[in-house]
Amino acid sequence: MRTQVGIIGSGPSGLLLARLLHLQGIETVILEGRSREYVQGRIRAGVIEQGMANLLREARAGERMDREGLVHEGINIAFDGRLERIDFPTHTNGKVVMVYGQTEITYDLMKAHIDEAGGIAQYESPAIRVEDYHTDSPRILYEQNGEQKELLCDFVAGCDGFHGVARQSIPSDQIKTFQRTYPFGWLGMLSDVPPVRDELVYVNHERGFALCSMRSHTRSRYYIQCTMDDKVENWTDDAFWEELCRRLPPEAAADVTRGPRLEMSITPLHSFVAEPLRFGRLFLAGDAGHIVPPTGAKGLNLAASDIYYLFRALLAYYKEERRDLLERYSEAALRRVWKAVRFSWWYTSLLHKFDDDAMNRRLQISELEYLTSSEAGQTVIAENYVGLPYERFE
Ligand code: APR
Ligand code: PHB
């Protein structure tokens, strides 16, 4: 089989790239290891920056998001028994975020690209490795129905997430990686109950971090910091609600509506960056190239900004025979990646319990007090949270 751009992975990165290229008449094939139902069923993040929302509109896959997504103009931060609000528009020249689940975005992109436009995506077809990416004709070796096959391409986009094979196809002396593991996880619960507040609540508490998020006016997503070795089996629904309420300011805890879980899972927290993101004709995008802890809601948005740069680079190649943007992809994408990696690390450090050191805790509270009471401090949080601008790339 042969195509123009071979895409490994049918998460948001792979689907968004395929869709944008297809609208420009550039052919792609997506190879995905899992089934379509499995990919669609995964519960992931849910806060979309304006840059990503605009890219979804450019991909003509943003209609339902614009209809059903919730526009949020701020977040709340709770600490020391207080609840402080950070307003986005007043600190960012009018910017806001959209609350809309990654699960819904994946569904919308699959429907637009595969069902409506007839784009090719092969599920249950795991890639094994990428070869010849330093030639003009790279190949993806993959497996389908127990047989080994190959996809010949002009370019390969490694959109196969953190555990994918695209990055692993690079010899270790040609790639540099940076990583940090945080000494805790997030226990997440999805439930069909109204959210406790209209906007997200990020909580610094002496028992550990908590987050009140949502998917809609009737579906809530809550998280509590847990130990690294904790297990979902250790938690009943009641125990989860009890612990969440202990970490919220009393007036918020009193408003929590409890209900049975639709899903409960544990997320480990890592920061990871690979450099570079381009190896000849192989490009890494999204989680394949970098991971952030979920505290700043940046993972999904970084996948979108990578695709913004990669899509424009491929378009310049196919429409204008230009290679310069392909050559600049890694640098441009990584500049934005590092800024979000820094923000996610900082925001995680500010809100989580790392140890029992009383001095560290007082410093966190003092920093939170400073940030929420200073215009400059609120601007730092707001402008990072709504998303730093994409660079012009043309
Ligand atoms: N062959 C084919 N597909 C593969 C392979 C392989 N060898 N390995 C992994 N995949 C698939 C996974 O099954 C998954 O569907 O690649 C896809 C990668 O998708 P995501 O992990 O969702 O990554 P990405 O598309 O980059 O999305 C950005 O950032 O913070 C997160 O929640 C956010 O998942 C989102 C991600
Ligand atoms: C979520 O709704 O799942 C969510 C929201 C904000 C975050 C992380 C996760 O920072």
Side-chain angles (χ1 to χ4, degrees), residues 112-127:
H113 180 61
I114 304 167
D115 301 337
E116 290 169 12
I120 302 174
Q122 314 253 338
Y123 287 89
E124 296 175 75
S125 305

Side-chain angles (χ1 to χ4, degrees), residues 162-316:
F162 182 65
H163 300 288
V165 297
R167 194 181 68 249
Q168 288 164 27
S169 301
I170 313 294
S172 57
D173 61 347
Q174 288 166 39
I175 188 166
K176 193 165 166 52
T177 59
F178 303 83
Q179 50 197 320
R180 173 156 305 176
T181 297
Y182 300 83
F184 38 72
W186 279 16
L187 174 67
M189 150 102 120
L190 188 70
S191 184
D192 268 336
V193 291
V196 62
R197 288 284 177 275
D198 291 342
E199 293 174 335
L200 273 59
V201 187
Y202 286 88
V203 187
N204 173 307
H205 190 272
E206 61 186 357
R207 296 180 63 84
F209 170 80
L211 169 61
C212 309
S213 181
M214 67 194 73
R215 293 288 175 276
S216 68
H217 293 303
T218 56
R219 182 167 289 184
S220 300
R221 180 68 165 163
Y222 291 112
Y223 298 94
I224 50 178
Q225 178 179 345
C226 62
T227 57
M228 275 176 106
D229 56 0
D230 209 343
K231 303 254 174 313
V232 168
E233 300 79 70
N234 296 343
W235 291 84
T236 60
D237 293 355
D238 280 345
F240 182 94
W241 292 116
E242 249 344 278
E243 186 56 35
L244 175 73
C245 288
R246 289 177 80 169
R247 299 184 189 188
L248 294 177
E251 67 278 16
D255 292 340
V256 169
T257 310
R258 303 183 184 203
R261 75 181 77 174
L262 291 173
E263 189 256 11
M264 191 184 269
S265 54
I266 292 184
T267 313
L269 275 72
H270 302 287
S271 299
F272 171 87
V273 184
E275 286 186 353
L277 295 176
R278 165 179 169 255
F279 306 86
R281 284 176 173 247
L282 167 62
F283 297 82
L284 302 180
D287 277 17
H290 39 78
I291 297 279
V292 290
T295 324
K298 291 290 166 242
L300 176 60
N301 292 296
L302 280 185
S305 61
D306 285 357
I307 296 306
Y308 163 90
Y309 293 118
L310 184 53
F311 164 60
R312 276 167 175 66
L314 289 166
L315 199 59

Side-chain angles (χ1 to χ4, degrees), residues 117-177:
I120 302 174
Q122 314 253 338
Y123 287 89
E124 296 175 75
S125 305
I128 302 162
R129 76 183 167 271
V130 183
E131 293 192 339
D132 299 339
Y133 48 84
H134 282 299
T135 73
D136 285 349
S137 164
R139 298 181 298 149
I140 307 172
L141 302 183
Y142 68 101
E143 209 178 280
Q144 198 171 52
N145 302 322
E147 268 179 67
Q148 194 163 315
K149 301 187 172 174
E150 84 180 18
L151 175 64
L152 291 169
C153 328
D154 298 341
F155 298 97
V156 174
C159 299
D160 48 352
F162 182 65
H163 300 288
V165 297
R167 194 181 68 249
Q168 288 164 27
S169 301
I170 313 294
S172 57
D173 61 347
Q174 288 166 39
I175 188 166
K176 193 165 166 52
T177 59

